[in-house]
Amino acid sequence: MKQTQPGASTQTPAPARSSFFSTQPSRADHFTESVIREMTRLAIAHNAINLAQGFPDFPCPGELKTAACTALHADLNQYAITWGATDLREAIAARVAHYNGMHFSPETEITVTCGSTEAMMASMLAIIHPGDEVIVPEPFYENYGPDAQISGAVPRYVPIRDDLAIDEEAWKAAITKKSRAIILNSPNNPTGKVFSKAELAFIADLCIDHDVVAITDEIYEHILYDGRQHISIGSFDGMDDRTITIGSFSKTYSVTGWRVGYALADEQLTARIRKIHDFLTVGAPAPLQRACVAALALPETYYRDLAADYDRKRKILFNGLRRAGFACQLPEGAYYLFTDIANFGMSDTAFARFLVEKIGVAAVPGSSFYHDGGETRLRFTFSKKDETLLDACNRLAKLNEMGSAS
Ligand code: PLP
């Protein structure tokens, strides 16, 4: 390469760096930045209440804070074992056996990751050959789109209907010879749907009949309402060697910033996931892994209280949104209300901007949960203190005043 000394003149100036980069194709060109996280930035800029991004504004359990501080004071500052600290993998195995009815070897079948976000990405990179198809129920958590792009998967979307039923014929029609995986998320973000045993049995049969892997994101497994039970598709007969179950500490223990999650899969799948995980991140934060062991030692009452607290919060926001003119249903699980905004006469993005700028409440435009559509939807989270939700409801009530004044 021809080089010049700094400051020396050249007869033909080198092209600007930006033009070089702008002409080089990149897989990053095929998706946009996260709309959810963009809404958080807008909420901060406009001093709005952030009901866009699903993170709690209340503290995590004291036991976790104490354990994290103890780990730091004990100088647990160096890399943990790449696939997770031994005590954490053992504690996850015990908890999953108890709650999910599935049995995984801590030695060979559990990988601790940087949140379920990394678990999903590492799983897809581990099993997808570029051009493979993945079935994605729609609407879907927005990360699954870029995950598919990055791994080279071709998404085939199947609808979750407005009444939350699944359309079995559409699922059957979406399966082709190229199908490699089905991405499940139950309890579901954004719809709040909890897949029933019959629906999961149907999806398990599809996986078995067509030799497809289920990658199942169960991050909201403890946030369930009205007596609903969580069922892991990996617990169905014939699914143990074709399911990757993804979990996380983020939502269950209100520590979304700790970045600790996990992938559970049989030995062969795990061997591949661990290789990808190793070179993506090396490992999750060591002191926080120790604190997550303390999380898994919390009593059963913790989980009952968590669900009861979220039940109260969902009703506060539901009532506030209904009073302000939003059409919505109470969710079956998770901590979102997926509203219909058709009667406000604005598109999802215009309305989301209006709400954050003029009303002081941030929500996520529905279109970020669809490959095509969703413009009549907005998603609100209720993972906030009761007073934050009540404040948001008061602000949203201004929509009525504006409506009656016009
Ligand atoms: N999966 C779903 C369905 C989510 O809603 C979220 C966060 O909102 C995540 C994954 C991210 O989880 P984590 O913090 O474990 O990476």
Side-chain angles (χ1 to χ4, degrees):
M1 188 199 287
K2 191 176 158 196
Q3 290 189 326
T4 54
Q5 293 299 315
S9 68
T10 51
Q11 284 185 328
T12 46
R17 265 178 89 85
S18 59
S19 69
F20 171 80
F21 286 109
S22 61
T23 57
Q24 300 305 305
S26 153
R27 56 186 78 208
D29 299 341
H30 299 287
F31 50 90
T32 59
E33 280 182 40
S34 158
V35 177
I36 298 175
R37 294 177 280 282
E38 167 65 11
M39 287 311 299
T40 287
R41 290 191 285 272
L42 275 180
I44 293 167
H46 293 280
N47 205 17
I49 298 174
N50 186 356
L51 301 190
Q53 199 173 0
F55 62 84
D57 66 349
F58 46 84
C60 74
E63 291 89 334
L64 274 76
K65 290 193 252 186
T66 306
C69 293
T70 307
L72 286 171
H73 287 298
D75 284 324
L76 200 66
N77 297 320
Q78 312 311 329
Y79 302 121
I81 295 171
T82 295
W83 40 84
T86 307
D87 52 356
L88 181 55
R89 281 180 286 121
E90 286 170 352
I92 292 170
R95 177 81 204 147
V96 168
H98 170 75
Y99 185 68
N100 308 74
M102 298 189 291
H103 299 273
F104 292 95
S105 156
E107 272 311 301
T108 55
E109 297 181 319
I110 297 178
T111 310
V112 176
T113 55
C114 293
S116 64
T117 300
E118 193 227 329
M120 179 59 77
M121 190 72 264
S123 299
M124 289 184 69
L125 288 169
I127 65 165
I128 300 292
H129 306 272
D132 285 351
E133 293 177 2
V134 293
I135 313 286
V136 183
E138 185 175 52
F140 52 87
Y141 172 53
E142 71 165 358
N143 277 31
Y144 304 154
D147 289 345
Q149 289 288 351
I150 292 168
S151 63
V154 179
R156 291 183 60 105
Y157 301 97
V158 290
I160 297 176
R161 294 187 341 209
D162 285 352
D163 64 0
L164 298 188
I166 66 167
D167 178 346
E168 293 193 358
E169 293 313 310
W171 283 67
K172 288 184 200 158
I175 297 269
T176 73
K177 287 198 169 59
K178 290 185 173 176
S179 301
R180 179 83 175 134
I182 289 178
I183 297 184
L184 267 186
N185 171 217
S186 180
N188 182 260
N189 173 7
T191 62
K193 176 181 172 60
V194 175
F195 282 71
S196 70
K197 190 168 186 182
E199 289 169 336
L200 292 172
F202 163 75
I203 296 166
D205 284 346
L206 272 188
C207 291
I208 294 164
D209 292 348
H210 298 277
D211 202 15
V212 165
V213 174
I215 311 180
T216 168
D217 177 343
E218 302 184 7
I219 184 168
Y220 298 103
E221 62 185 339
H222 290 286
I223 304 176
L224 297 161
Y225 309 111
D226 308 319
R228 285 192 178 75
Q229 303 287 315
H230 177 69
I231 305 172
S232 292
I233 194 170
S235 66
F236 283 68
D237 284 347
M239 289 303 287
D240 50 345
D241 60 351
R242 58 175 65 258
T243 305
I244 303 172
T245 304
I246 291 175
S248 175
F249 292 83
S250 287
K251 314 286 180 172
T252 306
Y253 305 100
S254 305
V255 287
T256 60
W258 282 19
R259 315 307 307 132
V260 187
Y262 49 87
L264 314 169
D266 85 332
E267 190 169 343
Q268 284 188 331
L269 286 170
T270 294
R272 289 179 166 183
I273 294 167
R274 284 182 174 184
K275 276 200 262 179
I276 303 283
H277 159 73
D278 189 3
F279 290 103
L280 271 181
T281 64
V282 179
L288 301 179
Q289 289 194 47
R290 173 70 58 80
C292 287
V293 177
L296 292 168
L298 289 169
E300 284 305 313
T301 49
Y302 172 76
Y303 303 95
R304 281 203 294 275
D305 293 348
L306 179 82
D309 284 347
Y310 274 125
D311 182 31
R312 191 183 62 251
K313 292 176 191 301
R314 97 181 152 136
K315 287 172 182 158
I316 294 174
L317 186 61
F318 175 77
N319 289 332
L321 286 170
R322 292 286 287 246
R323 274 198 300 272
F326 291 82
C328 52
Q329 301 295 325
L330 280 169
E332 300 171 350
Y335 54 45
Y336 303 99
L337 276 150
F338 199 42
T339 64
D340 191 318
I341 55 162
N343 56 339
F344 287 100
M346 272 192 245
S347 77
D348 61 333
T349 45
F351 195 41
R353 190 165 271 279
F354 169 79
L355 285 183
V356 79
E357 288 177 1
K358 306 282 186 239
I359 302 290
V361 175
V364 182
S367 49
S368 48
F369 304 99
Y370 292 81
H371 82 287
D372 187 18
E375 291 86 1
T376 57
R377 303 288 203 142
L378 271 194
R379 190 200 75 176
F380 294 81
T381 181
F382 49 89
S383 59
K384 307 293 167 188
K385 292 179 196 143
D386 292 10
E387 58 258 42
T388 309
L389 296 171
L390 289 166
D391 189 1
C393 292
N394 283 337
R395 293 183 187 202
L396 289 165
K398 280 187 262 166
L399 287 168
N400 283 326
E401 293 155 27
M402 287 175 170
S404 50
S406 62

